[in-house]
C-alpha cells in the first residue's frame, strides 16, 4: 500500500510537470472537456431550476388541498361526458363545512368556495384590462401559504356583508399605485367602486406561464352580487388531513356524491384534482428534457475524451525512451499505467474545474439578466461535474496507458 501511495504521488508530480511544460497543448486538450462539463452542468442547472420552479409554484396551491371542479386538470377525450356534468356550486362548500362541524373525526378540515373571471380595473387615468379576478371565501388565508405585503385579507364580517373590499396582487398594486401605499385607496371594477384593504407579497409566475401577481381577490358573495357564477369555473378548495390523503379523498368523494345526490350506479359528476395531477402532466416533459440533454452532454464529453486519448497517445510516443529507461531500472507495469492514467485524468480534471467555474459565472449572469428564468447551481452538480471529468479522463487514457505499460524495455530504448 505504501508503494502504491508513492506511485500515485510520483504520478501526480510527473502529470503536473507535463501539463506545465506543455501549457498550450494541455489547454487545447482540456477545451473539449470544458465544453462537455459546461453542457453537463448547464443541463443540470436547468432541470434543477425547473424542479424548483414547479415546487415553488405548487407550494402556493397547498399540498393538502383537493380542488373540486367540473373539469379534470388532465387531458380528456370524451369531452361531452364532462360537458353534461352539473356545475359545482358555492353552496356545496357550505354543506361540506356543516358536515365538518358535525363530525369531529372527519379527515376534512374546511372548504372554501371560489369563482373566477377576467375584469377591467380602473383608478383615475390608469386602467388594467383582463385582470384575473377571483371571488373567494374569507378562510383562504387558513389554507393558503400566500403572505400579505401590506394591509390584511377581508374578514368574515366583510365577507358575509358582501362589502366592496378587494385584495390586490403585487403587480396590480405597482401598476395602479406607483410609489403609493394602496391600502385605504379606491379603485373601480366595472362600474363599482372597491376599497383596497391589502396587497399580496410577490409570488412570481405559476409554472413560468401565469403571473400570480396580476390578480385581485374579493369576497365570493360580493363577486356573485355583480357577476353570474360560471359553473365551469366555480371550484371548491377543500383542506384535508395531509397524513391520510387517500382516505380523505374517498371521504370527500362520498360526501360530494351524497350532496349532489348521485345514485350508486352512476359515475362521479365532479372531479377531485390535486397537485400530483399537475406533476404527472409535467413529468414526461421533464424526462424528455433530461433524455435530450443527456444525449447532448454525452456527445460533448465523448469529443473531449477523444481529445484526451489522442494527446495521451502522442505523449506515450514522445516519451517511449523514458518509459524504456524506467522499466529497465525496475519500474513496474502498474507504475507506468498509473502515471499515464493520472496524466489523462489530471487534464480532464483541470478542464472540469474550468468548466464548472464558467457555468457558475454563466448562471450568475443569467440571474441578473433574466431573474425569472429558473436556474439552480447546487453542490451536487459540482460533484457530478468533477466525477464526470475524472471518469472521462480515466476511460480515454486507459488504452494508451495500457500500451505504454506493456512496452518491452529493449524495444522502447531502441525507439527513434
Amino acid at each position: 500500500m505504501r508503494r502504491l501511495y508513492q506511485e500515485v504521488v510520483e504520478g501526480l508530480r510527473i502529470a503536473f510537470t507535463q501539463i506545465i511544460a506543455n501549457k498550450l497543448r494541455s489547454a487545447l486538450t482540456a477545451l473539449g472537456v470544458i465544453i462537455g462539463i459546461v453542457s453537463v452542468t448547464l443541463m443540470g442547472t436547468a432541470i434543477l431550476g425547473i424542479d424548483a420552479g414547479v415546487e415553488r409554484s405548487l407550494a402556493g396551491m397547498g399540498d393538502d388541498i383537493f380542488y373540486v371542479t367540473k373539469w379534470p386538470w388532465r387531458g380528456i377525450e370524451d369531452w361531452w361526458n364532462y360537458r353534461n356534468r352539473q356545475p359545482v356550486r358555492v353552496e356545496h362548500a357550505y354543506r361540506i363545512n356543516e358536515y365538518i362541524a358535525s363530525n369531529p373525526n372527519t379527515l376534512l378540515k374546511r372548504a372554501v368556495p371560489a369563482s373566477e373571471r377576467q375584469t377591467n380595473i380602473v383608478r383615475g387615468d390608469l386602467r388594467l384590462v383582463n385582470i384575473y379576478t377571483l371571488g373567494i371565501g374569507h378562510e383562504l388565508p387558513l389554507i393558503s401559504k400566500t403572505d400579505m405585503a401590506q394591509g390584511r385579507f377581508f374578514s368574515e364580517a366583510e365577507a358575509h356583508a358582501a362589502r366592496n373590499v378587494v385584495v390586490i396582487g403585487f403587480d396590480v398594486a405597482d401598476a395602479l399605485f406607483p410609489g403609493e401605499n394602496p391600502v385605504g385607496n379606491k379603485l373601480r371594477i366595472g362600474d363599482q367602486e372597491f376599497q383596497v384593504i391589502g396587497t399580496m407579497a410577490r409570488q412570481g409566475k405559476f409554472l413560468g406561464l401565469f403571473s400570480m401577481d396580476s390578480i385581485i381577490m374579493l369576497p365570493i358573495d360580493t363577486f356573485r352580487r355583480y357577476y353570474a357564477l360560471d359553473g365551469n369555473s366555480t371550484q371548491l378548495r377543500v383542506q384535508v388531513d395531509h397524513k391520510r390523503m387517500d382516505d380523505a379523498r374517498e371521504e370527500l368523494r362520498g360526501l360530494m356524491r351524497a350532496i349532489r345526490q348521485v345514485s350508486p350506479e352512476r359515475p362521479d359528476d365532479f372531479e377531485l384534482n390535486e397537485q400530483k395531477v399537475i406533476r404527472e402532466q409535467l413529468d414526461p416533459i421533464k424526462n424528455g428534457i433530461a433524455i435530450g440533454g443527456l444525449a447532448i452532454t454525452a456527445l460533448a464529453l465523448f469529443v473531449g475524451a477523444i481529445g484526451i486519448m489522442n494527446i495521451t497517445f502522442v505523449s506515450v510516443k514522445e516519451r517511449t525512451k523514458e518509459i524504456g529507461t524506467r522499466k529497465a531500472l525496475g519500474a513496474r507495469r502498474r507504475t507506468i499505467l498509473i502515471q499515464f492514467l493520472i496524466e489523462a485524468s489530471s487534464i480532464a480534471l483541470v478542464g472540469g474545474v474550468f468548466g464548472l467555474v464558467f457555468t457558475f459565472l454563466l448562471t450568475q449572469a443569467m440571474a441578473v439578466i433574466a431573474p425569472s428564468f429558473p436556474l439552480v447551481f447546487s453542490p451536487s452538480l459540482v460533484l457530478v461535474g468533477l466525477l464526470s471529468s475524472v471518469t472521462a479522463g480515466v476511460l480515454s487514457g486507459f488504452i494508451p496507458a495500457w500500451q505504454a505499460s506493456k512496452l518491452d524495455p529493449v524495444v522502447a530504448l531502441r525507439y527513434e
Side-chain angles (χ1 to χ4, degrees):
M1 183 60 72
R2 184 176 180 182
R3 186 182 179 92
L4 178 62
Y5 172 75
Q6 291 175 340
E7 289 172 348
V8 171
V9 172
E10 183 65 13
L12 284 171
R13 187 188 66 78
I14 296 175
F16 282 100
T17 301
Q18 289 297 318
I19 291 175
I20 293 172
N22 302 282
K23 297 185 185 68
L24 180 60
R25 188 172 75 179
S26 300
L28 292 175
T29 305
L31 184 61
V33 179
I34 292 173
I35 295 172
I37 295 303
V38 169
S39 302
V40 170
T41 48
L42 273 183
M43 188 55 61
T45 56
I47 292 174
L48 290 177
I50 291 172
D51 280 337
V54 169
E55 291 303 320
R56 187 170 58 246
S57 297
L58 295 181
M61 298 178 63
D63 55 3
D64 57 351
I65 305 293
F66 283 111
Y67 290 76
V68 184
T69 62
K70 179 177 178 179
W71 297 89
W73 288 353
R74 65 181 185 282
I76 56 173
E77 295 180 355
D78 48 345
W79 185 85
W80 282 104
N81 288 335
Y82 293 93
R83 169 68 177 80
N84 293 330
R85 285 177 165 180
Q86 294 299 310
V88 174
R89 302 184 186 284
V90 172
E91 287 72 19
H92 294 157
Y94 304 150
R95 296 282 301 278
I96 293 174
N97 284 329
E98 290 173 1
Y99 169 84
I100 294 171
S102 59
N103 291 274
N105 296 323
T106 179
L107 299 176
L108 313 182
K109 293 185 176 179
R110 61 183 56 83
V112 178
S115 192
E116 63 190 35
R117 63 174 296 147
Q118 306 289 325
T119 63
N120 298 333
I121 310 171
V122 178
R123 189 220 175 195
D125 297 331
L126 301 174
R127 180 183 181 88
L128 300 177
V129 298
N130 294 328
I131 295 299
Y132 180 72
T133 303
L134 185 66
I136 195 158
H138 67 279
E139 292 179 310
L140 178 67
L142 299 177
I143 66 171
S144 172
K145 298 176 182 176
T146 302
D147 296 325
M148 300 294 293
Q150 295 172 308
R152 58 178 177 81
F153 205 73
F154 40 83
S155 65
E156 181 178 1
E158 290 168 332
H160 287 165
R163 294 273 309 277
N164 281 14
V165 292
V166 63
V167 176
I168 61 179
F170 190 90
D171 288 347
V172 175
D174 190 47
L176 292 184
F177 304 93
E180 298 180 51
N181 183 353
V183 178
N185 285 301
K186 302 287 182 64
L187 55 76
R188 298 185 70 84
I189 304 176
D191 297 330
Q192 302 299 320
E193 190 173 66
F194 286 77
Q195 181 181 27
V196 179
I197 61 171
T199 63
M200 290 181 290
R202 185 188 289 277
Q203 301 179 69
K205 290 186 176 181
F206 181 73
L207 302 179
L209 301 173
F210 169 74
S211 174
M212 297 298 291
D213 298 317
S214 297
I215 183 175
I216 61 172
M217 293 190 288
L218 54 151
I220 185 69
D221 287 335
T222 308
F223 183 91
R224 64 177 174 180
R225 206 169 80 193
Y226 300 116
Y227 308 110
L229 294 179
D230 182 356
N232 289 316
S233 62
T234 299
Q235 61 178 231
L236 313 178
R237 304 182 182 188
V238 184
Q239 187 180 37
V240 302
D241 184 345
H242 71 279
K243 296 179 181 176
R244 299 176 61 186
M245 291 289 285
D246 291 339
D247 293 336
R249 183 188 301 105
E250 292 308 310
E251 183 178 1
L252 179 58
R253 171 176 287 113
L255 178 59
M256 284 299 300
R257 288 180 66 90
I259 291 174
R260 292 163 69 92
Q261 298 182 337
V262 180
S263 58
E265 67 275 9
R266 290 176 52 203
D268 295 343
D269 65 345
F270 54 89
E271 204 69 29
L272 299 183
N273 296 298
E274 54 186 310
Q275 279 190 16
K276 74 175 185 180
V277 175
I278 297 178
R279 286 195 172 90
E280 289 171 356
Q281 302 286 316
L282 293 175
D283 281 347
I285 299 174
K286 289 195 300 182
N287 293 338
I289 294 174
I291 292 172
L294 186 63
I296 294 172
T297 54
L299 182 61
L301 273 178
F302 178 73
V303 173
I306 291 295
I308 293 176
M309 181 182 289
N310 180 54
I311 208 65
T312 309
F313 270 123
V314 172
S315 181
V316 169
K317 290 294 183 186
E318 289 177 346
R319 295 155 61 192
T320 301
K321 280 195 172 182
E322 176 193 323
I323 296 170
T325 303
R326 294 184 64 191
K327 296 194 79 171
L329 293 175
R332 297 182 177 185
R333 289 175 56 184
R334 185 183 71 182
T335 306
I336 304 299
L337 178 69
I338 290 175
Q339 175 192 325
F340 281 96
L341 281 180
I342 288 177
E343 284 188 35
S345 57
S346 296
I347 294 175
L349 183 61
V350 170
V353 170
F354 275 97
L356 288 169
V357 171
F358 183 75
T359 304
F360 176 75
L361 295 176
L362 198 60
T363 53
Q364 295 301 305
M366 284 293 295
V368 174
I369 298 171
S372 62
F373 192 83
L375 285 176
V376 174
F377 189 81
S378 69
S380 61
L381 279 177
V382 174
L383 184 61
V384 169
L386 294 178
L387 287 177
S388 299
S389 58
V390 171
T391 302
V394 170
L395 293 179
S396 60
F398 183 79
I399 294 178
W402 179 254
Q403 289 185 354
S405 69
K406 291 199 306 179
L407 281 175
D408 185 285
V410 177
V411 175
L413 286 171
R414 290 178 179 172
Y415 181 78
E416 295 294 339

